Amino acid sequence: MMILLELFISFFLVAFVSFGGASAVIPELYRIAVIEHGWMAERTFTELFAIAQAAPGPNVLIVTLIGQQVSGWQGAFFATLGMCLPMSLLVGLLFKHWDKLQHWRGRAAIQLGVAPLAVGLVLASGTLIAHSASPGLIGILLVLVTIVLNLKTKLHPLWLILLGGVLGLSGLV
Amino acid sequence: MPVPQTFDSATKPTPTPAELFRGFSRVGLSGFGGVLPWARRLLVETEGWLTAEEFNVLLGLCQFLPGPNVVNLAVAVGVRFCGWRGAVAGALGLMLGPFLVALMLGVLYEHYGELPAVQSMLHGITLVGAGLIIATGIRMGLNVKHRRVYLPFAAVAFVGIALLQWPLPTVMLGGAALTIALSWWRLSQDAKA
């Protein structure tokens, strides 16, 4: 019971700083799950990240998987709910007034100001995840190739994930 | 891929909660590495519940707030058409399928996660996943307006979190106070000019 509440509250709080979505707060999720609560080893966290990437659906599934590792399907439910609930409520409340805010200077100021921080957060997330996998030379190359292919081609990300899985299985990375 | 139709606002259909649930459940399970393009396809092209412009306005609200953007979007669309019942239907439709798939994968992981083959496969996927996130970050960075003014803050946030291990909430909230004050000031300068 306590653990479900703990999961809910932890992710409820993360939701308030997750500008840029779940991908932006991976370092914070890591801090909560591995360092603060010791719910799992670093390797488990990294592997759950990989599973979330390979699964269909929103990026927030990493939170679902963390919750499940800690406390089964109920843990998964309360962790996911915690992450999704605060802003869902705010969206519901703000929705009616959004049109009126169209010309409010604060709205433009917040959008302009928050965007670059989200960029920094997302880039830091990707870098830290890559680092935690302690890649060799070929591994680093795979990260770089993924970045270039994703930016420069319309190749579906699923193919890249498949490539990663195959290269991993073959022991090359 | 179906040919995109255009709907004008007079003939636009209004979804029921059940239709919202079904629509968003297709979106949730289609999306690998980003669900938003699929949501747009459903809302604007396939079903024609929203015009492209309405979609952009709603998306603006969802990106304005922190949290999982696409969940916010499902809630916003649901509220718009069917009040809180629509919000629940949309969000539940979006999340239920992926949630169950994730649970299944999680159970498989508990049973087979120790196998060396599984670990090497996940290791490869982790690296690709990291690359995909970095690519997303770069794309977001290219979309930032007034890059010379604002991208240095992205760099500081990156260095603070990735290298100096500053606590993320502090970086985000402290940084936001600073950057929002700056953009507010710049906007009022523009207004005066």
Side-chain angles (χ1 to χ4, degrees), chain A residues 5 10 12-13 22-23 50 56 59 64 81 83 88-89 93 100-101 116 118 128 154-156 171:
Chain A
L5 192 68
S10 301
F12 188 91
L13 294 177
S23 306
N59 294 330
T64 309
L81 188 70
M83 186 78 176
S88 296
L89 292 175
L93 291 175
K100 279 175 254 165
L101 292 178
L128 287 175
K154 288 198 184 293
L155 190 67
H156 198 288

Side-chain angles (χ1 to χ4, degrees), chain A residues 70-152:
Chain A
V70 176
S71 197
W73 69 269
Q74 293 157 309
F77 176 77
F78 280 101
T80 314
L81 188 70
M83 186 78 176
C84 297
L85 196 61
M87 293 313 135
S88 296
L89 292 175
L90 260 182
V91 166
L93 291 175
L94 260 182
F95 172 75
K96 283 205 181 93
H97 311 287
W98 186 240
D99 282 339
K100 279 175 254 165
L101 292 178
Q102 198 89 358
H103 301 290
W104 177 50
R105 182 175 298 158
R107 179 182 153 178
I110 292 173
Q111 274 175 322
L112 281 169
V114 164
L117 297 172
V119 171
L121 256 60
V122 170
L123 289 176
S125 285
T127 311
L128 287 175
I129 280 286
H131 183 256
S132 78
S134 31
L137 200 60
I138 302 180
I140 295 173
L141 208 61
L142 176 61
V143 176
L144 294 176
V145 166
T146 302
I147 296 172
V148 172
L149 285 178
N150 190 242
L151 286 176
K152 295 286 176 193

Side-chain angles (χ1 to χ4, degrees), chain A residues 15-28 31 43-51 53-61 64-65 68-69 72-73 76-77 80 83-84 87-92 94-95 98-99 101-102 104-130 132-136 138-140 142-144 146-148 150-151 156-158 160-171 173, chain B residues 27-35 38 56-58 60-73 75-77 79-81 91 94-95 97-99 101-107 109-110 113-114 116-142 144-146 150-155 157-159 161-163 165 167-177 179-181 183-185 187-189 191-192:
Chain A
F16 286 89
V17 290
S18 61
F19 289 94
S23 306
V25 286
I26 287 170
E28 183 65 7
R31 196 192 60 78
R43 208 197 68 214
T44 308
F45 182 89
T46 313
E47 289 172 354
L48 291 182
F49 164 80
I51 295 172
Q53 287 290 309
N59 294 330
V60 66
L61 289 183
T64 309
L65 287 164
Q68 184 189 27
Q69 285 296 306
W73 69 269
F77 176 77
T80 314
M83 186 78 176
C84 297
M87 293 313 135
S88 296
L89 292 175
L90 260 182
V91 166
L94 260 182
F95 172 75
W98 186 240
D99 282 339
L101 292 178
Q102 198 89 358
W104 177 50
R105 182 175 298 158
R107 179 182 153 178
I110 292 173
Q111 274 175 322
L112 281 169
V114 164
L117 297 172
V119 171
L121 256 60
V122 170
L123 289 176
S125 285
T127 311
L128 287 175
I129 280 286
S132 78
S134 31
I138 302 180
I140 295 173
L142 176 61
V143 176
L144 294 176
T146 302
I147 296 172
V148 172
N150 190 242
L151 286 176
H156 198 288
L158 203 55
L160 293 168
I161 287 174
L162 205 67
L163 173 74
V166 170
L167 285 179
L169 264 180
S170 71
V173 292
Chain B
V27 170
L29 284 171
S30 316
F32 285 90
V35 183
W38 295 95
N56 287 343
V57 171
L58 278 191
L61 166 63
C62 302
Q63 292 178 331
F64 178 77
L65 295 169
N69 288 335
V70 62
V71 179
N72 291 353
L73 184 70
V75 170
V77 173
V79 170
R80 180 197 160 99
F81 289 114
L94 178 74
M95 288 305 293
F99 181 82
V101 172
L103 285 191
M104 263 160 38
L105 291 175
V107 169
Y109 175 72
E110 275 165 25
E114 292 298 320
V118 173
Q119 284 179 9
S120 0
M121 189 181 72
L122 290 176
H123 177 72
I125 296 177
T126 299
L127 294 173
V128 168
L132 290 174
I133 288 187
I134 295 172
T136 304
I138 294 174
R139 212 174 286 125
M140 287 164 66
L142 294 174
V144 167
K145 292 178 187 131
H146 312 293
Y150 291 108
L151 279 192
F153 291 97
F158 173 81
V159 171
I161 290 169
L163 304 180
Q165 290 167 0
L168 188 145
T170 317
V171 172
M172 194 63 217
L173 298 176
T179 51
I180 292 171
S183 54
W184 180 282
W185 178 76
L187 286 170
S188 31
Q189 294 301 104
K192 268 186 238 161

